[in-house]
């Protein structure tokens, strides 16, 4: 890696300034989970009957909860079958290195960052987490793990009667829904840490952006705020994207490559003293 980049990252690590990591689906690509907009992406492949953007909506869930659950249980089977990769492990080591100077904001619902070892208190899951459910009523915003009795679906197959009984709100008996942010819903603080995520880049010394195409507005806002207040922006992605351009405009860096290769090198630079 360019010695100038390594020196800049080392200077950041030697400062007291916070590190914010902003991740997208690309960080999980090397774990075998399709990205959203790649060739095999969820939004590209979708489900048999519906366009993908229709599936991930409250409107579709209200009219056809079983179809939406079948799709999510197939996605969850993929996520549960995947293992965190070297990039996830490097992000965990960054948290261990920086402690309270560290914050992770992830768009991913696959849960791999937490499984790798990042702590919930320093991990904002701004699109939710597919391993958790809440009441679709909603009678409350309580979030709890998907009941272990629910069968994950390796292919498009109907829910069993046991699945239907388990996918119910524990308090009121209405359908339970995946704890994820749908296209026809809005961010908020309580469920998705919106305000906290907008505040996070203020004062950050470095914003490390990994594996995201810049297709969603909150991450782009986070990047703009960080760039506007002089943070070092580093974008890691095999392809150029709006974040790489944003980083280079702000005298930061675009590191073209796979997260699983680039992040361990960045971590090594952060580890060296001074
Ligand atoms: N390492 C790093 N980046 C990678 C890798 C890799 N090995 N493989 C692919 N990428 C990059 C792609 O180049 C692309 O820029 O990851 C990005 C994935 O982009 P998307 O599929 O659009 O995923 P993401 O940016 O996370 O989407 C954001 O959009 O639809 C919503 O809720 C959905 O959270 C998602 C959000």
């Amino acid at each position: 890696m360019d010695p100038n980049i390594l020196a800049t990252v080392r200077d950041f690590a030697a400062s007291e300034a916070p590190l914010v990591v902003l991740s997208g689906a690309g960080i999980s690509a090397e774990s075998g989970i399709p990205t959203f907009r790649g060739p095999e992406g969820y939004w590209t492949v979708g489900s048999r009957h519906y366009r993908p953007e229709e599936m991930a909506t409250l409107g579709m869930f209200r009219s056809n909860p079983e179809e939406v659950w079948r799709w999510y249980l197939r996605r969850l089977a993929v996520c549960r079958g995947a293992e965190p990769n070297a990039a996830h492990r490097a992000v965990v080591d960054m948290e261990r290195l920086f402690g309270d100077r560290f914050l992770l904001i992830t768009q991913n619902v696959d849960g791999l960052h937490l499984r790798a070892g990042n702590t919930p208190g320093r991990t904002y899951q701004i699109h939710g987490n597919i391993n958790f459910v809440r009441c679709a009523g909603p009678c409350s915003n309580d979030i709890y793990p998907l009941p272990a009795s629910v069968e994950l679906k390796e292919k498009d197959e109907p829910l069993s009667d046991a699945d239907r009984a388990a996918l119910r709100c524990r308090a009121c008996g209405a359908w339970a829904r995946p704890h994820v942010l749908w296209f026809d819903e809005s961010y908020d603080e309580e469920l998705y840490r919106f305000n906290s995520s907008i505040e996070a880049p203020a004062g950050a010394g470095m914003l490390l952006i990994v594996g995201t195409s810049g297709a969603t507005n909150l991450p782009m806002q986070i990047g703009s705020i960080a760039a506007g207040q002089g943070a070092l922006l580093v974008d890691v992605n095999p392809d150029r994207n709006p974040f790489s351009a944003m980083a280079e405009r702000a005298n930061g860096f675009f590191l073209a490559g796979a997260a699983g290769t680039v992040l361990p090198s960045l971590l090594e630079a952060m580890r060296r003293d001074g």
Side-chain angles (χ1 to χ4, degrees):
M1 193 177 297
D2 176 334
N4 172 44
I5 296 174
L6 294 175
T8 307
V9 170
R10 267 203 298 280
D11 289 347
F12 157 74
S15 75
E16 295 302 313
L19 167 65
V20 177
V21 179
L22 171 63
S23 72
I27 202 169
S28 297
E30 291 158 91
S31 297
I33 299 180
T35 61
F36 288 95
R37 295 171 181 83
E40 293 304 311
Y42 285 116
W43 300 161
T44 312
V45 174
S47 83
R48 219 154 22 102
H49 307 301
Y50 300 94
R51 283 191 309 102
E53 285 82 355
E54 290 170 316
M55 288 303 292
T57 63
L58 180 60
M60 176 61 82
F61 187 84
R62 288 227 165 99
S63 61
N64 199 331
E66 293 214 14
E67 178 81 21
V68 174
W69 264 119
R70 285 161 54 174
W71 188 62
Y72 272 92
L73 291 175
R74 280 191 359 255
R75 285 183 61 189
L76 184 54
V78 172
C79 296
R80 293 272 179 85
E83 291 300 324
N85 65 59
H88 294 104
R89 290 190 293 274
V91 175
V92 172
D93 288 341
M94 288 177 193
E95 176 174 1
R96 290 175 180 157
L97 184 63
F98 291 114
D100 286 340
R101 273 179 70 188
F102 173 95
L103 178 70
L104 170 60
I105 299 174
T106 186
Q107 301 174 83
N108 299 344
V109 299
D110 57 35
L112 286 189
H113 281 301
L114 296 183
R115 270 177 54 198
N118 283 113
T119 59
R122 298 191 188 115
T123 303
Y124 294 172
Q125 299 177 102
I126 60 173
H127 293 163
N129 184 323
I130 200 172
N131 294 283
F132 292 82
V133 300
R134 61 181 206 264
C135 179
C139 72
S140 82
N141 278 338
D142 291 350
I143 298 165
Y144 49 93
L146 179 84
S149 64
V150 174
E151 291 165 24
L152 305 187
K153 308 295 177 198
E154 298 303 329
K155 56 187 187 311
D156 188 8
E157 57 192 75
L159 298 183
S160 66
D161 290 343
D163 290 338
R164 288 187 193 93
L167 291 169
R168 291 281 156 185
C169 169
R170 301 182 298 194
C172 75
W175 272 104
R177 57 162 287 172
H179 170 53
V180 295
L181 178 64
W182 279 328
F183 279 103
D184 54 355
E185 295 183 309
S186 304
Y187 288 110
D188 69 8
E189 175 61 19
E190 182 187 1
L191 293 171
Y192 304 112
R193 307 303 304 270
F194 176 78
N195 301 331
S196 302
S197 299
I198 288 285
E199 290 156 15
M206 177 171 172
L207 174 66
L208 173 57
I209 306 146
V210 189
T212 181
S213 65
T216 46
N217 67 346
L218 176 55
M220 289 301 283
Q221 285 184 61
I222 291 166
S224 300
I225 294 166
Q229 50 95 45
L232 168 63
L233 264 62
V234 177
D235 178 54
V236 177
N237 195 314
D239 302 333
R240 287 198 159 277
N241 65 85
F243 284 112
S244 46
M246 186 189 286
E248 289 176 332
R249 279 198 305 275
N251 300 316
F253 304 108
F254 166 52
L255 303 180
T261 304
V262 176
L263 290 199
S265 304
L266 282 175
L267 172 68
E268 278 319 298
M270 292 171 175
R271 277 201 173 116
R272 285 205 198 106
D273 300 336

Short mmCIF file of all heavy atoms in Angstrom, two decimals, residues 210-260:
data_model
loop_
_atom_site.label_atom_id
_atom_site.label_comp_id
_atom_site.label_asym_id
_atom_site.label_seq_id
_atom_site.Cartn_x
_atom_site.Cartn_y
_atom_site.Cartn_z
N VAL A 210 -16.44 1.00 3.78
CA VAL A 210 -16.08 -0.32 3.23
C VAL A 210 -17.27 -0.97 2.55
O VAL A 210 -18.31 -1.21 3.16
CB VAL A 210 -15.61 -1.27 4.36
CG1 VAL A 210 -15.02 -2.55 3.76
CG2 VAL A 210 -14.60 -0.61 5.28
N GLY A 211 -17.13 -1.22 1.25
CA GLY A 211 -18.07 -2.11 0.56
C GLY A 211 -19.47 -1.59 0.43
O GLY A 211 -20.44 -2.32 0.64
N THR A 212 -19.61 -0.31 0.05
CA THR A 212 -20.96 0.21 -0.16
C THR A 212 -20.99 1.06 -1.43
O THR A 212 -20.03 1.76 -1.76
CB THR A 212 -21.46 1.01 1.07
OG1 THR A 212 -22.79 1.47 0.82
CG2 THR A 212 -20.57 2.17 1.42
N SER A 213 -22.12 0.97 -2.14
CA SER A 213 -22.21 1.59 -3.47
C SER A 213 -22.68 3.03 -3.41
O SER A 213 -22.82 3.70 -4.43
CB SER A 213 -23.19 0.78 -4.33
OG SER A 213 -24.50 0.89 -3.76
N GLY A 214 -23.02 3.52 -2.20
CA GLY A 214 -23.47 4.92 -2.13
C GLY A 214 -24.87 5.10 -2.66
O GLY A 214 -25.26 6.19 -3.08
N ALA A 215 -25.68 4.03 -2.58
CA ALA A 215 -27.05 4.10 -3.13
C ALA A 215 -28.06 4.62 -2.13
O ALA A 215 -29.21 4.87 -2.47
CB ALA A 215 -27.47 2.70 -3.60
N THR A 216 -27.65 4.78 -0.87
CA THR A 216 -28.62 5.17 0.16
C THR A 216 -28.21 6.47 0.83
O THR A 216 -27.03 6.79 0.95
CB THR A 216 -28.70 4.06 1.24
OG1 THR A 216 -27.39 3.66 1.58
CG2 THR A 216 -29.49 2.85 0.70
N ASN A 217 -29.23 7.21 1.30
CA ASN A 217 -28.95 8.61 1.65
C ASN A 217 -28.28 8.81 3.00
O ASN A 217 -27.38 9.64 3.13
CB ASN A 217 -30.24 9.46 1.55
CG ASN A 217 -31.26 9.06 2.63
OD1 ASN A 217 -31.12 8.01 3.25
ND2 ASN A 217 -32.24 9.90 2.85
N LEU A 218 -28.65 8.01 4.02
CA LEU A 218 -28.01 8.25 5.33
C LEU A 218 -26.50 8.04 5.26
O LEU A 218 -25.74 8.91 5.70
CB LEU A 218 -28.65 7.36 6.41
CG LEU A 218 -28.02 7.42 7.79
CD1 LEU A 218 -27.95 8.85 8.33
CD2 LEU A 218 -28.79 6.53 8.77
N PRO A 219 -26.02 6.93 4.67
CA PRO A 219 -24.55 6.78 4.55
C PRO A 219 -23.91 7.94 3.79
O PRO A 219 -22.85 8.44 4.17
CB PRO A 219 -24.40 5.46 3.81
CG PRO A 219 -25.62 4.69 4.20
CD PRO A 219 -26.72 5.71 4.27
N MET A 220 -24.56 8.42 2.74
CA MET A 220 -23.98 9.54 1.98
C MET A 220 -23.94 10.80 2.86
O MET A 220 -22.99 11.58 2.82
CB MET A 220 -24.80 9.79 0.71
CG MET A 220 -24.64 8.72 -0.36
SD MET A 220 -22.92 8.51 -0.93
CE MET A 220 -22.75 9.95 -1.99
N GLN A 221 -24.97 10.99 3.69
CA GLN A 221 -24.96 12.14 4.62
C GLN A 221 -23.80 12.02 5.60
O GLN A 221 -23.08 12.98 5.87
CB GLN A 221 -26.26 12.20 5.42
CG GLN A 221 -27.49 12.70 4.67
CD GLN A 221 -28.69 12.82 5.62
OE1 GLN A 221 -28.64 13.57 6.60
NE2 GLN A 221 -29.73 12.05 5.35
N ILE A 222 -23.59 10.82 6.11
CA ILE A 222 -22.50 10.59 7.07
C ILE A 222 -21.16 10.93 6.41
O ILE A 222 -20.32 11.63 6.97
CB ILE A 222 -22.52 9.13 7.56
CG1 ILE A 222 -23.76 8.89 8.44
CG2 ILE A 222 -21.24 8.78 8.32
CD1 ILE A 222 -24.07 7.42 8.69
N GLY A 223 -21.00 10.47 5.16
CA GLY A 223 -19.75 10.77 4.43
C GLY A 223 -19.57 12.26 4.22
O GLY A 223 -18.48 12.81 4.46
N SER A 224 -20.64 12.95 3.84
CA SER A 224 -20.54 14.40 3.57
C SER A 224 -20.20 15.18 4.84
O SER A 224 -19.37 16.09 4.82
CB SER A 224 -21.86 14.93 3.01
OG SER A 224 -22.18 14.26 1.80
N ILE A 225 -20.84 14.79 5.95
CA ILE A 225 -20.57 15.49 7.23
C ILE A 225 -19.10 15.27 7.62
O ILE A 225 -18.39 16.22 7.98
CB ILE A 225 -21.51 14.98 8.34
CG1 ILE A 225 -22.95 15.37 8.04
CG2 ILE A 225 -21.08 15.53 9.71
CD1 ILE A 225 -23.98 14.63 8.89
N ALA A 226 -18.64 14.04 7.50
CA ALA A 226 -17.25 13.74 7.87
C ALA A 226 -16.28 14.53 6.99
O ALA A 226 -15.33 15.17 7.47
CB ALA A 226 -17.00 12.24 7.74
N ALA A 227 -16.56 14.53 5.68
CA ALA A 227 -15.68 15.27 4.76
C ALA A 227 -15.71 16.76 5.07
O ALA A 227 -14.68 17.44 5.10
CB ALA A 227 -16.12 15.02 3.31
N GLY A 228 -16.91 17.27 5.38
CA GLY A 228 -17.06 18.70 5.64
C GLY A 228 -16.33 19.18 6.88
O GLY A 228 -15.99 20.36 7.00
N GLN A 229 -16.10 18.24 7.84
CA GLN A 229 -15.41 18.71 9.04
C GLN A 229 -13.97 18.21 9.10
O GLN A 229 -13.36 18.10 10.15
CB GLN A 229 -16.21 18.38 10.29
CG GLN A 229 -16.67 16.95 10.41
CD GLN A 229 -15.70 16.15 11.22
OE1 GLN A 229 -15.26 16.60 12.27
NE2 GLN A 229 -15.37 14.98 10.75
N GLY A 230 -13.46 17.82 7.92
CA GLY A 230 -12.02 17.60 7.79
C GLY A 230 -11.52 16.23 8.18
O GLY A 230 -10.32 16.04 8.38
N ALA A 231 -12.42 15.25 8.30
CA ALA A 231 -11.95 13.90 8.64
C ALA A 231 -11.20 13.30 7.46
O ALA A 231 -11.39 13.70 6.31
CB ALA A 231 -13.13 13.00 9.02
N LEU A 232 -10.34 12.34 7.76
CA LEU A 232 -9.68 11.56 6.72
C LEU A 232 -10.67 10.52 6.21
O LEU A 232 -11.13 9.68 6.99
CB LEU A 232 -8.45 10.86 7.30
CG LEU A 232 -7.79 9.79 6.42
CD1 LEU A 232 -7.24 10.40 5.12
CD2 LEU A 232 -6.69 9.06 7.19
N LEU A 233 -11.06 10.60 4.94
CA LEU A 233 -11.98 9.60 4.36
C LEU A 233 -11.16 8.57 3.62
O LEU A 233 -10.30 8.93 2.80
CB LEU A 233 -12.97 10.28 3.39
CG LEU A 233 -14.35 10.66 3.96
CD1 LEU A 233 -14.19 11.67 5.09
CD2 LEU A 233 -15.25 11.22 2.86
N VAL A 234 -11.42 7.30 3.90
CA VAL A 234 -10.77 6.21 3.18
C VAL A 234 -11.87 5.27 2.71
O VAL A 234 -12.66 4.79 3.53
CB VAL A 234 -9.77 5.44 4.08
CG1 VAL A 234 -9.17 4.25 3.32
CG2 VAL A 234 -8.66 6.38 4.57
N ASP A 235 -11.97 5.07 1.39
CA ASP A 235 -13.00 4.20 0.82
C ASP A 235 -12.36 2.93 0.30
O ASP A 235 -11.37 3.00 -0.46
CB ASP A 235 -13.72 4.92 -0.35
CG ASP A 235 -14.78 4.02 -1.00
OD1 ASP A 235 -15.66 3.50 -0.27
OD2 ASP A 235 -14.69 3.80 -2.23
N VAL A 236 -12.88 1.77 0.74
CA VAL A 236 -12.35 0.48 0.31
C VAL A 236 -13.41 -0.23 -0.51
O VAL A 236 -14.50 -0.52 -0.01
CB VAL A 236 -11.95 -0.38 1.52
CG1 VAL A 236 -11.46 -1.77 1.08
CG2 VAL A 236 -10.88 0.32 2.35
N ASN A 237 -13.11 -0.48 -1.79
CA ASN A 237 -14.10 -1.06 -2.70
C ASN A 237 -13.35 -1.49 -3.95
O ASN A 237 -12.48 -0.76 -4.41
CB ASN A 237 -15.14 0.04 -3.04
CG ASN A 237 -16.39 -0.51 -3.67
OD1 ASN A 237 -16.33 -1.35 -4.57
ND2 ASN A 237 -17.54 -0.05 -3.19
N PRO A 238 -13.70 -2.63 -4.56
CA PRO A 238 -13.02 -2.98 -5.82
C PRO A 238 -13.33 -1.98 -6.93
O PRO A 238 -12.53 -1.78 -7.84
CB PRO A 238 -13.60 -4.36 -6.18
CG PRO A 238 -14.23 -4.87 -4.94
CD PRO A 238 -14.63 -3.67 -4.14
N ASP A 239 -14.51 -1.35 -6.83
CA ASP A 239 -14.94 -0.44 -7.90
C ASP A 239 -15.07 1.00 -7.40
O ASP A 239 -15.45 1.24 -6.25
CB ASP A 239 -16.34 -0.87 -8.42
CG ASP A 239 -16.32 -2.29 -8.94
OD1 ASP A 239 -15.24 -2.75 -9.39
OD2 ASP A 239 -17.37 -2.96 -8.84
N ARG A 240 -14.84 1.92 -8.32
CA ARG A 240 -15.10 3.33 -7.99
C ARG A 240 -16.60 3.50 -7.73
O ARG A 240 -17.43 2.79 -8.26
CB ARG A 240 -14.68 4.24 -9.16
CG ARG A 240 -13.19 4.37 -9.31
CD ARG A 240 -12.79 5.59 -10.15
NE ARG A 240 -11.39 5.93 -9.83
CZ ARG A 240 -11.04 6.68 -8.77
NH1 ARG A 240 -11.96 7.17 -7.98
NH2 ARG A 240 -9.76 6.92 -8.51
N ASN A 241 -16.91 4.45 -6.84
CA ASN A 241 -18.30 4.66 -6.43
C ASN A 241 -18.39 6.07 -5.86
O ASN A 241 -17.36 6.74 -5.71
CB ASN A 241 -18.68 3.58 -5.40
CG ASN A 241 -17.87 3.73 -4.13
OD1 ASN A 241 -18.25 4.50 -3.26
ND2 ASN A 241 -16.73 3.05 -4.06
N PRO A 242 -19.58 6.58 -5.53
CA PRO A 242 -19.68 7.96 -5.02
C PRO A 242 -18.80 8.23 -3.79
O PRO A 242 -18.28 9.33 -3.60
CB PRO A 242 -21.16 8.10 -4.69
CG PRO A 242 -21.85 7.15 -5.60
CD PRO A 242 -20.90 5.99 -5.75
N PHE A 243 -18.55 7.19 -2.98
CA PHE A 243 -17.70 7.41 -1.79
C PHE A 243 -16.22 7.57 -2.19
O PHE A 243 -15.49 8.34 -1.55
CB PHE A 243 -17.85 6.26 -0.80
CG PHE A 243 -19.12 6.30 0.00
CD1 PHE A 243 -20.10 5.35 -0.18
CD2 PHE A 243 -19.35 7.33 0.93
CE1 PHE A 243 -21.28 5.38 0.56
CE2 PHE A 243 -20.52 7.37 1.67
CZ PHE A 243 -21.48 6.40 1.47
N SER A 244 -15.80 6.86 -3.24
CA SER A 244 -14.39 7.03 -3.63
C SER A 244 -14.16 8.44 -4.13
O SER A 244 -13.16 9.10 -3.79
CB SER A 244 -13.99 5.99 -4.69
OG SER A 244 -14.96 5.89 -5.71
N ALA A 245 -15.13 8.94 -4.88
CA ALA A 245 -15.02 10.33 -5.38
C ALA A 245 -15.06 11.31 -4.20
O ALA A 245 -14.27 12.26 -4.13
CB ALA A 245 -16.17 10.62 -6.35
N MET A 246 -15.94 11.07 -3.24
CA MET A 246 -16.06 11.94 -2.06
C MET A 246 -14.73 11.94 -1.28
O MET A 246 -14.24 12.99 -0.87
CB MET A 246 -17.20 11.44 -1.16
CG MET A 246 -17.52 12.32 0.02
SD MET A 246 -18.68 11.51 1.14
CE MET A 246 -20.23 11.65 0.19
N ALA A 247 -14.14 10.76 -1.13
CA ALA A 247 -12.88 10.65 -0.38
C ALA A 247 -11.78 11.45 -1.08
O ALA A 247 -11.07 12.24 -0.45
CB ALA A 247 -12.49 9.19 -0.23
N GLU A 248 -11.67 11.26 -2.39
CA GLU A 248 -10.57 11.93 -3.12
C GLU A 248 -10.79 13.43 -3.16
O GLU A 248 -9.83 14.21 -3.03
CB GLU A 248 -10.46 11.33 -4.51
CG GLU A 248 -9.91 9.90 -4.46
CD GLU A 248 -9.87 9.21 -5.80
OE1 GLU A 248 -10.71 9.55 -6.67
OE2 GLU A 248 -9.01 8.32 -5.99
N ARG A 249 -12.05 13.88 -3.24
CA ARG A 249 -12.31 15.34 -3.19
C ARG A 249 -11.90 15.93 -1.85
O ARG A 249 -11.52 17.08 -1.73
CB ARG A 249 -13.80 15.63 -3.42
CG ARG A 249 -14.26 15.63 -4.86
CD ARG A 249 -15.61 16.35 -5.01
NE ARG A 249 -16.64 15.78 -4.14
CZ ARG A 249 -17.39 14.72 -4.47
NH1 ARG A 249 -17.17 14.10 -5.63
NH2 ARG A 249 -18.31 14.25 -3.65
N ALA A 250 -11.95 15.10 -0.80
CA ALA A 250 -11.64 15.60 0.56
C ALA A 250 -10.20 15.25 0.94
O ALA A 250 -9.87 15.13 2.13
CB ALA A 250 -12.62 14.98 1.56
N ASN A 251 -9.35 15.04 -0.10
CA ASN A 251 -7.94 14.71 0.15
C ASN A 251 -7.77 13.41 0.94
O ASN A 251 -6.79 13.25 1.68
CB ASN A 251 -7.22 15.85 0.90
CG ASN A 251 -7.25 17.14 0.08
OD1 ASN A 251 -7.01 17.09 -1.14
ND2 ASN A 251 -7.61 18.23 0.72
N GLY A 252 -8.78 12.54 0.78
CA GLY A 252 -8.66 11.21 1.40
C GLY A 252 -8.19 10.23 0.35
O GLY A 252 -7.56 10.62 -0.66
N PHE A 253 -8.55 8.94 0.55
CA PHE A 253 -8.00 7.91 -0.34
C PHE A 253 -9.08 6.93 -0.78
O PHE A 253 -9.96 6.57 0.01
CB PHE A 253 -6.90 7.13 0.39
CG PHE A 253 -5.80 7.99 0.94
CD1 PHE A 253 -5.68 8.19 2.30
CD2 PHE A 253 -4.90 8.62 0.08
CE1 PHE A 253 -4.67 8.99 2.82
CE2 PHE A 253 -3.88 9.42 0.59
CZ PHE A 253 -3.76 9.61 1.96
N PHE A 254 -8.98 6.51 -2.04
CA PHE A 254 -9.77 5.39 -2.53
C PHE A 254 -8.83 4.20 -2.66
O PHE A 254 -7.82 4.28 -3.38
CB PHE A 254 -10.39 5.71 -3.89
CG PHE A 254 -10.94 4.50 -4.62
CD1 PHE A 254 -11.82 3.64 -3.98
CD2 PHE A 254 -10.56 4.22 -5.93
CE1 PHE A 254 -12.32 2.50 -4.63
CE2 PHE A 254 -11.06 3.10 -6.60
CZ PHE A 254 -11.92 2.24 -5.94
N LEU A 255 -9.09 3.16 -1.89
CA LEU A 255 -8.23 1.96 -1.94
C LEU A 255 -8.99 0.90 -2.72
O LEU A 255 -9.94 0.29 -2.21
CB LEU A 255 -7.90 1.48 -0.53
CG LEU A 255 -7.22 2.51 0.39
CD1 LEU A 255 -6.94 1.91 1.76
CD2 LEU A 255 -5.94 3.04 -0.25
N ALA A 256 -8.60 0.70 -3.97
CA ALA A 256 -9.31 -0.24 -4.85
C ALA A 256 -8.90 -1.65 -4.46
O ALA A 256 -7.72 -2.01 -4.53
CB ALA A 256 -8.95 0.04 -6.30
N GLY A 257 -9.87 -2.43 -4.03
CA GLY A 257 -9.55 -3.81 -3.67
C GLY A 257 -10.62 -4.40 -2.79
O GLY A 257 -11.58 -3.73 -2.39
N ALA A 258 -10.43 -5.68 -2.53
CA ALA A 258 -11.40 -6.40 -1.70
C ALA A 258 -11.15 -6.08 -0.23
O ALA A 258 -10.01 -5.98 0.23
CB ALA A 258 -11.27 -7.90 -1.95
N ALA A 259 -12.26 -5.97 0.51
CA ALA A 259 -12.14 -5.62 1.93
C ALA A 259 -11.28 -6.61 2.70
O ALA A 259 -10.47 -6.23 3.56
CB ALA A 259 -13.55 -5.56 2.54
N GLY A 260 -11.41 -7.89 2.35
CA GLY A 260 -10.68 -8.93 3.07
C GLY A 260 -9.18 -8.84 2.90
O GLY A 260 -8.41 -9.34 3.71
#
